[in-house]
Amino acid sequence: MAFHGWKRFLFLSKQNTFARAWRSRRGSLCLGWKCCCHGGAGESVAPEMRAFLEENTEVTSSGNLTPEIQLRLLTPRCRFWHEKLDSWPYGDPFWAIYWPGGQALSRYILDNPCVVKGKSVLDLGSGCGATAIAAVMSGASQVLANDIDPIAGMAMILNCELNHLNPFPITIKNMINSEVGSWDLIVLGDMFYDEQLADGLHHWLRKCIRIRQTKVLIGDPGRHEFLRHRIHSHLHKVVEYSLPESTRQENNGLTSSIVWSYQPSCSLESC
């Protein structure tokens, strides 16, 4: 499949896959993998899966906003990039793309370590784990990465290794509408691509703020689905980054990505 075709197909497919997962209200989408892994990488990634991911992704730190972080991603130099998407033997590899919202969040945390230093951080919809990695690099006291795809969890462990970090805890539980945890900060990027999913996020994040006074940062490059949702009226722009040329080309010409602070001004019942 052509270079742009991968990106476009993955984004459109992402809308359906994650929306269905949220609407199912299932507590977990384990798919045969541990729901939460706390051990070392060798204990959590089977040798055959490690070999597959290492063979079919490329280690890169270029073409994005965070050259300090190395990641295993799908690139035009990878075999599966040029094949039909359904030839990939596992679930659609959303985690193998470093999406613009995640790039902005990671850049902001690296530039402003005081945002996470000494704090507990939940990286919701973590994907490749870059924002969680940035939080660890910047001194967060506790980091939990969350993604409903178990393969993403395995890739995150490999990405921790690349950056000489001990793997942080990873959960593949569907956390939206779950009990509110005691997080100082929740970060999430590129998750507003379906109205019902966005509604669920809007409700759950407000609940986290109301009950735990959790701070919330959202990264998004200005996609239509995000800008038109009512959550946008509760956001305050923190910083806007110009995207590198390669990221612009891979994302239909989007030129920048913004970090937003989510500050709902109305009560949970009336908003």
Side-chain angles (χ1 to χ4, degrees), residues 11-225:
F11 180 74
L12 293 175
S13 178
K14 188 177 186 181
Q15 297 177 7
N16 296 326
T17 302
F18 279 78
R20 285 196 305 267
W22 172 73
R23 284 194 287 268
S24 72
R25 304 298 205 282
R26 285 181 286 180
S28 174
L29 298 178
C30 292
L31 303 180
W33 196 58
K34 298 178 183 179
C35 286
C36 190
C37 71
H38 297 269
E43 298 173 356
S44 301
V45 181
E48 59 273 18
M49 178 57 71
R50 175 184 289 271
F52 176 85
L53 293 176
E54 290 177 346
E55 179 182 354
N56 292 290
T57 57
E58 180 183 17
V59 176
T60 181
S61 60
S62 62
N64 58 62
L65 291 172
T66 57
E68 304 95 320
I69 299 176
Q70 294 194 82
L71 300 169
R72 288 197 167 276
L73 302 173
L74 271 171
T75 74
R77 289 170 291 280
C78 297
R79 173 170 65 97
F80 281 100
W81 188 272
H82 304 283
E83 298 183 5
K84 292 181 178 180
L85 189 59
D86 57 11
S87 66
W88 182 266
Y90 305 102
D92 292 340
F94 310 118
W95 57 267
I97 302 296
Y98 194 6
W99 302 97
Q103 290 189 33
L105 282 169
S106 302
R107 181 72 268 156
Y108 177 68
I109 289 171
L110 290 171
D111 288 345
N112 301 274
C114 60
V115 172
V116 299
K117 189 172 183 179
K119 297 178 181 177
S120 58
V121 180
L122 170 63
D123 183 12
L124 190 67
S126 191
C128 64
T131 304
I133 288 171
V136 173
M137 288 180 167
S138 298
S141 61
Q142 183 182 3
V143 173
L144 176 65
N146 167 241
D147 198 290
I148 62 172
D149 183 355
I151 308 300
M154 299 179 201
M156 281 187 249
I157 292 173
L158 299 187
N159 287 336
C160 284
E161 289 181 3
L162 286 174
N163 293 281
H164 310 291
L165 301 175
N166 292 324
F168 36 71
I170 301 163
T171 178
I172 55 173
K173 176 183 179 181
N174 186 353
M175 297 191 72
I176 304 173
N177 285 337
S178 66
E179 292 186 11
V180 173
S182 55
W183 304 103
D184 297 317
L185 174 67
I186 296 175
V187 292
L188 62 154
D190 307 285
M191 289 192 70
F192 290 86
Y193 38 75
D194 174 89
E195 185 173 1
Q196 287 185 277
L197 175 59
D199 288 345
L201 284 166
H202 189 25
H203 177 84
W204 187 73
L205 292 171
R206 279 182 318 189
K207 188 176 179 181
C208 292
I209 293 170
R210 182 176 65 87
I211 295 175
R212 298 287 188 178
Q213 290 74 55
T214 306
K215 293 185 177 179
V216 177
L217 293 175
I218 297 172
D220 194 274
R223 297 189 182 94
H224 178 66
E225 295 83 1

